Amino acid sequence: MSCGLTASTLRDMTHIPPPAVELRILDAELYQLDARRTQLLHRRAWLLTVLQPGPPAPVMPPPPALPRPETTAPGVQNVLLMLGGILLTLAAIAFTLVSWGSMGITGRALVLAAVTLATLGAPVALLRRGLRSTAESLAGLGLALTVLDAYALHEVAFPAADGVTFAAAAATVLTALWTAYGLGLPALPGGKTPSPTLLLPLPAALAIAQLPMLLWAIASGGGPHTITAALLLTAVLDMVLALRVSPKAVRLVATVGAFTMGAWGVLAAGQLSLDATGPGAAARAAALFALAAAGAFGATWLASDVRLRTGTAAGGLFVVVAVGGMLRATLPADWTVPGYLACGIALLALVRGRLPEPVRHGLGWASAAVQASAVLWALPVTTVTLFGPVAWLTHVWSGTPADARDAVTTEAFWPAHMATTSLVLAAVAAVLISTLRTTEWRPRALTAALTLTWATALTIPTALQLPYSIGLLIQGLTIIALLALTHRTATLLALATSLSLTAVSLATEPATLAVLASLTAVFALATWRGRLAPASAAASLAYATALACAAGAALDWQPEHIALLVLAVPVAAALLAARISDPSTTLAVEITGTVAAVTAISLSALELPMFALVLALCGVIATGTALRPDRRAVGYLAAALFVLAMWVRLSVWNVGSPEAYTLPVTVPALLVGALRRRRDPNVSSWTAYGPGLAATLVPSLLMAWSDAHWTRPLLLGTAALAVTLLGARHRLKAPLALGGGTLVLDALHELAPYLAQVVGALPRWAPPALAGLLLLALGATYEQRIRDARRVREVLGRMN
């Protein structure tokens, strides 16, 4: 030991860490050193046995393994402190509520003061010794005791006092005491480094500070406006603290309090504004929103850029609601939303000023939110106007509606106070066109403005309850204007409007015919407008089909006769498709013409003679289309239609022979197969001739086995023999296999003893026998030729 150190100096030195902790550390280190020494001794003994043979050295048992802790010391400390604080708090509550009455007034006061002061004073001493966690626990217990003290004081000293008033006073006093307590615990030295102030008292003081203004407003008998003002003032103060104080815990509590109390106050002010029945009540509600806006604008100057935009946007919305609420109290109910919208649009005047950019952005967001809300408000009317006429599909030509609104609300509900819907939509569209002029947002703004303008024109007749005919005229003019824009969105809107117009025109026969004819002509003219051609051409043909059906119904024609009128549309489509150079337009025209042809076929399906005629006419149209070089494949469809038409006609004539149905298929199929093999000799005979031969041979064979007469089996056998011979002559597998198989099965049928057929003077075995001899002769000849060819090849090989 140095001679300069005295006993008094050693006593005054501060141990870091404390002696007890340092002793535990030294014991652990010594234990580890002992364990390491034992391990090294074992290793040394083993090495000696390897180097010097002899009796093995005694092996010492391994040291016991050290137990591993399952948790950290700070974790155990915090759990113990928390449990201790909770138990003490519960004990204090039980003492206050249960055992309080057994003591006199003096004893109660002394116990209350002593316990509270001791608990609140203990953290000071603990902080000096560096026990901050214990100090935090006792500080929390002390704060809880002050609440219990306030309750006990009310029950004993002021039992007759008003509860709300006493609560307001208690909350005020507790806020002041907790704040002074938190600020009165400065950074105290604890060892070589200062120990920071406790974290709990100030956030707790701020949490209870949310109550005094609200409770004093209630206690003073203030009405809803006073209580709401107290909420908003509390939120404003919280916001200032959240932006100015430095401790994180205090900022967090202040932020939560600001948003909670502010949201509560704004909702209450909004309800008061909506419930206002006169200018005075509306002005008081507007003053509350002005207070909220002032707090939002004031807080923005203390914030960073992002929070500045958010606060400015909130303040702008509060101003809009305040002024709009005053307008609502003085204007009719239909003008409520336009009033709010006018205030929101007025904010844009500030956006164009010389305010800082974050402020201008925030006001722009507020204005955009107001306008979006107005558009959402108008959405139900637009939906009813667009989709409501669908109900006329079940009430076709039932009578003229009273007005345009009645025409769309046959089975739909019209919202109340929506007469200014069109004005709201038009105003938002105008704002979009005039404000968003940047290169990035300009196309989207124009698309949105176009959609809103379309919605405006669509809802004008229904919102204003214009006459039914005027409503039809406005929708028709809207379609023409949209098609004149040659814009993809405009085209889609025009198609949607045309469907709605068609549905609403079903109320009367003249309106239906006039609308369908007009739409057919309008979309036909729009076909020549570049990229609108595919959609316009398809729409024109579709409405022409509907016009044909409507005209036939107006003339009281039967559906099968209307089908002939509808066939004019696929004829026109086929003629137009041959003259259009644009592939997409050609495809759209052909698809629409095909749908019209299917419609005609469906209309005539119940009358078989007319059904056959319509099928044949569709086959003629398909044949004309197949004449084009790029549509040769349509020829197969034409053949199928002709065959179907023939089958239907044969059915009408009560023809039951299957050959009458199959031969019209077999002959064209064989001709097509022959042409295909001529162009491509590698095509298989099964592909070229198989389907055509099977179409006749298989049904005829099935009928022959159940036929009691001899004519069909004889003719079938002859045809099968001819097919077999042709297959052998041209070395084709399909005719050889199909013809030979049919011939054998037909022969078996003829030779069956129970189903023998009369074949004239010849015995029943004669035709099969003759056919067999012929086949044998041909087979022998074929074999002889093969053998001769093989010999020639061998001779040529020997010559080489």
Side-chain angles (χ1 to χ4, degrees):
M1 180 181 296
S2 174
C3 296
L5 297 177
T6 63
S8 61
T9 303
L10 291 175
R11 285 194 301 270
D12 294 337
M13 289 182 64
T14 301
H15 295 278
I16 301 175
V21 177
E22 185 177 1
L23 180 60
R24 287 197 299 270
I25 295 175
L26 292 176
D27 290 340
E29 292 290 342
L30 291 174
Y31 184 84
Q32 292 178 359
L33 290 175
D34 292 338
R36 180 61 177 168
R37 183 175 184 278
T38 303
Q39 182 182 6
L40 294 175
L41 289 175
H42 278 80
R43 182 66 178 174
R44 180 179 180 278
W46 181 81
L47 293 173
L48 290 175
T49 58
V50 173
L51 297 175
Q52 298 178 3
V59 179
M60 299 181 64
L66 295 175
R68 298 182 60 183
E70 296 182 355
T71 184
T72 62
V76 175
Q77 165 192 296
N78 293 334
V79 170
L80 294 177
L81 292 176
M82 181 181 65
L83 291 176
I86 293 175
L87 292 176
L88 288 176
T89 304
L90 294 177
I93 294 174
F95 173 77
T96 304
L97 298 179
V98 178
S99 302
W100 189 258
S102 61
M103 302 178 64
I105 185 63
T106 304
R108 299 173 189 175
L110 292 175
V111 170
L112 183 64
V115 173
T116 304
L117 291 176
T119 305
L120 292 176
V124 178
L126 293 173
L127 284 175
R128 294 181 180 276
R129 299 181 61 85
L131 303 177
R132 178 175 175 179
S133 298
T134 307
E136 291 280 3
S137 300
L138 289 179
L141 176 61
L143 298 179
L145 287 175
T146 58
V147 177
L148 295 176
D149 293 343
Y151 169 76
L153 186 64
H154 176 267
E155 293 296 322
V156 175
F158 305 100
D162 178 64
V164 178
T165 304
F166 185 84
T172 304
V173 173
L174 290 177
T175 300
L177 288 177
W178 291 6
T179 303
Y181 182 70
L183 296 176
L185 292 174
L188 298 176
K192 293 184 179 180
T193 58
S195 177
T197 307
L198 295 180
L199 300 178
L200 183 60
L202 289 180
L206 185 57
I208 202 171
Q210 310 299 313
L211 300 177
M213 282 193 184
L214 176 63
L215 294 177
W216 280 119
I218 298 174
S220 62
H225 293 83
T226 304
I227 297 174
T228 304
L231 292 172
L232 294 175
L233 285 174
T234 304
V236 170
L237 294 177
D238 287 334
M239 184 62 68
V240 173
L241 290 176
L243 296 174
R244 282 302 186 185
V245 297
S246 57
K248 291 184 178 180
V250 178
R251 287 206 309 269
L252 178 62
V253 174
T255 302
V256 173
F259 280 102
T260 303
M261 305 299 284
W264 189 4
V266 168
L267 291 177
Q271 187 63 43
L272 292 174
S273 179
L274 292 176
D275 294 339
T277 57
R284 289 193 295 271
L288 295 175
F289 276 109
L291 175 60
F297 286 134
T300 55
W301 299 108
L302 306 176
S304 60
D305 290 344
V306 176
R307 289 182 291 179
L308 183 59
R309 294 189 184 98
T310 305
T312 306
L317 288 176
F318 296 155
V319 172
V320 169
V321 176
V323 180
M326 296 179 64
L327 294 176
R328 186 195 65 82
T330 57
L331 294 175
D334 290 335
W335 290 89
T336 299
V337 174
Y340 285 106
L341 179 60
C343 297
I345 295 175
L347 289 178
L348 296 177
L350 299 175
V351 175
R352 298 178 181 178
R354 297 183 178 180
L355 296 173
E357 182 179 357
V359 176
R360 290 190 287 108
H361 285 176
L363 294 176
W365 291 352
S367 179
V370 174
Q371 295 178 57
S373 301
V375 172
L376 290 177
W377 171 80
L379 186 60
V381 170
T382 307
T383 303
V384 171
T385 303
L386 186 62
F387 297 103
V390 176
W392 286 106
L393 292 174
T394 58
H395 304 83
V396 178
W397 298 351
S398 58
T400 305
D403 51 45
R405 183 182 297 182
D406 184 60
V408 301
T409 55
T410 304
E411 295 181 1
F413 170 75
W414 183 263
H417 307 301
M418 305 293 285
T420 56
T421 301
S422 302
L423 177 62
V424 169
L425 295 172
V428 177
V431 170
L432 284 174
I433 296 174
S434 61
T435 56
L436 295 178
R437 299 178 180 178
T438 59
T439 305
E440 180 182 359
W441 292 95
R442 184 67 175 176
R444 301 177 185 176
L446 291 178
T447 301
L450 174 62
T451 305
L452 292 174
T453 304
W454 161 78
T456 301
L458 187 70
T459 56
I460 284 177
T462 54
L464 301 181
Q465 291 184 287
L466 298 179
Y468 173 69
S469 58
I470 299 299
L472 297 179
L473 178 61
I474 291 177
Q475 287 192 353
L477 294 176
T478 302
I479 295 172
I480 295 174
L482 289 171
L483 293 176
L485 296 177
T486 65
H487 190 273
R488 187 180 303 275
T489 303
T491 304
L492 295 177
L493 294 177
L495 291 173
T497 308
S498 66
L499 293 175
S500 178
L501 177 60
T502 302
V504 79
S505 69
L506 295 176
T508 62
E509 177 183 323
T512 303
L513 297 175
V515 166
L516 291 176
S518 301
L519 291 176
T520 302
V522 167
F523 281 102
L525 293 175
T527 305
W528 308 103
R529 300 300 300 269
R531 60 182 179 180
L532 298 180
S536 300
S540 178
L541 293 175
Y543 285 120
T545 304
L547 177 61
C549 295
L555 295 174
D556 292 331
W557 286 6
Q558 295 298 319
E560 58 270 14
H561 298 119
I562 296 177
L564 296 176
L565 189 60
V566 173
L567 281 178
V569 177
V571 171
L575 295 176
L576 290 173
R579 290 169 173 78
I580 298 175
S581 58
D582 182 34
S584 58
T585 305
T586 301
L587 182 61
V589 168
E590 290 176 342
I591 292 176
T592 311
T594 303
V595 174
V598 172
T599 303
I601 293 173
S602 302
L603 290 173
S604 62
L606 297 179
E607 187 69 22
L608 292 183
M610 190 62 67
F611 187 39
L613 177 60
V614 171
L615 288 173
L617 293 176
C618 291
V620 173
I621 298 172
T623 303
T625 303
L627 296 177
R628 294 161 48 193
D630 57 338
R631 292 293 186 269
R632 297 298 189 192
V634 184
Y636 296 105
L637 176 61
L641 290 172
F642 282 129
V643 170
L644 289 175
M646 184 175 294
W647 285 357
V648 174
R649 177 53 61 182
L650 291 174
S651 176
V652 172
W653 290 339
N654 296 323
V655 176
S657 177
E659 291 78 11
Y661 294 91
T662 57
L663 285 176
V665 178
T666 297
V667 174
L670 293 178
L671 292 176
V672 173
L675 293 175
R676 186 173 181 183
R677 278 186 58 84
R678 177 175 295 181
R679 295 178 181 177
D680 186 7
N682 295 324
V683 175
S684 172
S685 63
W686 288 105
T687 303
Y689 305 116
L693 293 174
T696 294
L697 292 178
V698 173
S700 298
L701 181 62
L702 295 176
M703 291 298 297
W705 274 78
S706 60
D707 196 348
H709 303 284
W710 59 270
T711 307
R712 186 187 301 275
L714 179 61
L715 295 176
L716 177 61
T718 303
L721 178 61
V723 170
T724 305
L725 294 177
L726 289 174
R729 172 68 179 81
H730 297 283
R731 302 178 185 179
L732 300 176
K733 293 182 180 179
L736 189 61
L738 292 175
T742 303
L743 184 61
V744 171
L745 293 176
D746 188 63
L748 290 176
H749 170 266
E750 288 301 304
L751 293 176
Y754 298 103
L755 300 175
Q757 302 295 323
V758 177
V759 291
L762 295 175
R764 60 190 180 190
W765 51 266
L770 293 176
L773 291 175
L774 178 60
L775 293 176
L776 288 176
L778 292 175
T781 304
Y782 192 78
E783 182 181 7
Q784 179 65 34
R785 290 181 179 177
I786 293 176
R787 187 175 60 183
D788 294 342
R790 186 180 296 112
R791 287 178 179 177
V792 171
R793 185 178 60 187
E794 292 175 354
V795 171
L796 293 176
R798 287 195 297 270
M799 290 175 64
N800 292 333

